Amino acid sequence: MRKKRFKSYDKMEDIIAGIGLILGVGIIFIGIIARYIFDHPLTFVDEIAPIFIVWSTLVGYSIALRKDEHVKMDILYTAIKSPVLRMLMDLFSYLCGFLFCTFMMVYGYRAMIMQRNMNRVTQILEFPIWITYLIIPFIGAVMIIRYIGLIAKLLRRGREVEHTEEKEG
């Protein structure tokens, strides 16, 4: 049951990232057509398209984390042959990511609340800016959960390595 819920969430995450990117690029394309072909620029394009692109990028980072394909520096990692040292490097990387996402969630929430309290809106559409900031604490929380899952998987794998070394030794 639990895996089924995660699969549903993963699918929803893929769809949101895809739709957000398509909408962002599509709105920019429509803006270009309106400006250069019809000589009638759409002013709202500059407000709304970046929101879709930033949101889909952040959701995309969560997707990359789900697949354990986030940005890595692997020159040192590939040079090290010891599975224990590699696991320690992975653990360090995951803990740094976890701390960054905690920072992002906490301070993203504070920034969102500050925008809401100041009643700031976009210039053209007068859309509440706090809603655009909502993605920051949300995706921070999602990625914290993803990092916890990666750390748990890494620790399980570490126990398996220990057991196989004990059997061989």
Side-chain angles (χ1 to χ4, degrees):
M1 182 69 177
R2 185 173 160 211
K3 284 188 178 187
K4 192 173 186 177
R5 268 188 267 150
F6 277 121
K7 279 189 177 184
S8 298
Y9 175 76
D10 293 346
K11 190 72 163 173
M12 184 178 65
E13 196 175 50
D14 293 339
I15 291 168
I16 289 171
I19 289 173
L21 193 57
I22 289 168
L23 285 174
V25 171
I27 290 169
I28 290 171
F29 181 72
I30 290 168
I32 290 169
I33 299 294
R35 175 171 292 175
Y36 293 108
I37 293 180
F38 298 113
D39 198 31
H40 185 72
L42 303 172
T43 54
F44 71 89
V45 168
D46 295 332
E47 277 188 4
I48 203 159
I51 294 169
F52 285 115
I53 291 173
V54 168
W55 278 43
S56 61
T57 301
L58 289 172
V59 173
Y61 181 47
S62 177
I63 292 169
L65 201 55
R66 172 181 78 210
K67 298 177 179 181
D68 199 15
E69 295 175 355
H70 51 93
V71 177
K72 296 179 183 179
M73 292 287 294
D74 65 350
I75 294 172
L76 182 62
Y77 192 81
T78 54
I80 294 174
K81 302 299 179 199
S82 168
V84 174
L85 280 177
R86 280 186 171 191
M87 285 179 53
L88 288 173
M89 287 177 69
D90 284 338
L91 182 62
F92 178 73
S93 170
Y94 295 156
L95 289 173
C96 287
F98 177 85
L99 290 173
F100 172 76
C101 291
T102 303
F103 175 86
M104 189 169 97
M105 183 181 71
V106 170
Y107 287 97
Y109 177 76
R110 288 182 181 179
M112 181 191 73
I113 294 300
M114 185 174 65
Q115 296 298 323
R116 193 186 75 194
N117 290 342
M118 292 190 310
N119 293 321
R120 292 199 51 212
V121 294
T122 59
Q123 290 178 341
I124 297 164
L125 296 176
E126 296 186 5
F127 186 75
I129 289 180
W130 74 268
I131 293 175
T132 64
Y133 278 58
L134 185 65
I135 190 69
I136 300 169
F138 173 74
I139 213 68
V142 167
M143 290 192 301
I144 284 171
I145 293 167
R146 296 251 186 242
Y147 274 116
I148 290 170
L150 286 171
I151 291 169
K153 192 160 95 175
L154 181 70
L155 294 176
R156 279 194 303 272
R157 198 172 69 216
R159 285 193 208 116
E160 291 171 6
V161 169
E162 283 179 8
H163 290 302
T164 53
E165 287 178 355
E166 287 175 5
K167 290 178 184 177
E168 290 174 2

